[in-house]
Amino acid sequence: MTPEDVKQAVRELPASTDYVWDGQDEDDRPATAEELQAALAAARRRRGRPAGSGTKEQVALRVDRDVLAAFRAGGPGWQTRMNDALRDWLRTHPQK
């Protein structure tokens, strides 16, 4: 069924079947135009993983299991902490 078919089917519904809110249950209240626009804007937003900063590069790196386990044991953000540890090492070990 195409969107046009749905629109046509809705147009053909008799006016007597229109929804009328009884004013009692707030959960049954029809959405306002502003609420509908906000919902549409939220639906249009990109889904999935947020875009990266563009400054990182993905690499395959072999790390000892105990080192990896220690960083992962710290919970979420372990990759950032590992990156910070490597950056700190670079500061204390000047390049030749």
Side-chain angles (χ1 to χ4, degrees):
M1 183 174 266
T2 68
E4 288 74 27
D5 294 336
V6 173
K7 289 177 187 176
Q8 184 59 36
V10 169
R11 284 187 203 105
E12 292 173 1
L13 289 173
S16 62
T17 61
D18 287 348
Y19 177 79
V20 178
W21 181 46
D22 62 6
Q24 299 297 316
D25 189 358
E26 193 65 22
D27 290 336
D28 289 338
R29 178 183 57 81
T32 64
E34 293 81 18
E35 292 169 333
L36 288 173
Q37 289 302 319
L40 286 171
R44 287 187 192 114
R45 280 189 221 115
R46 290 192 64 198
R47 295 185 184 135
R49 187 176 183 170
S53 64
T55 61
K56 307 276 184 183
E57 183 174 344
Q58 183 175 350
V59 297
L61 178 68
R62 292 186 177 274
V63 180
D64 290 334
R65 287 182 181 175
D66 60 327
V67 173
L68 187 57
F71 276 98
R72 284 182 171 166
W78 66 269
Q79 292 170 318
T80 301
R81 287 191 299 278
M82 184 178 276
N83 189 70
D84 293 342
L86 289 168
R87 179 170 282 125
D88 186 51
W89 186 90
L90 286 172
R91 276 192 291 265
T92 60
H93 295 79
Q95 299 297 309
K96 296 177 181 163

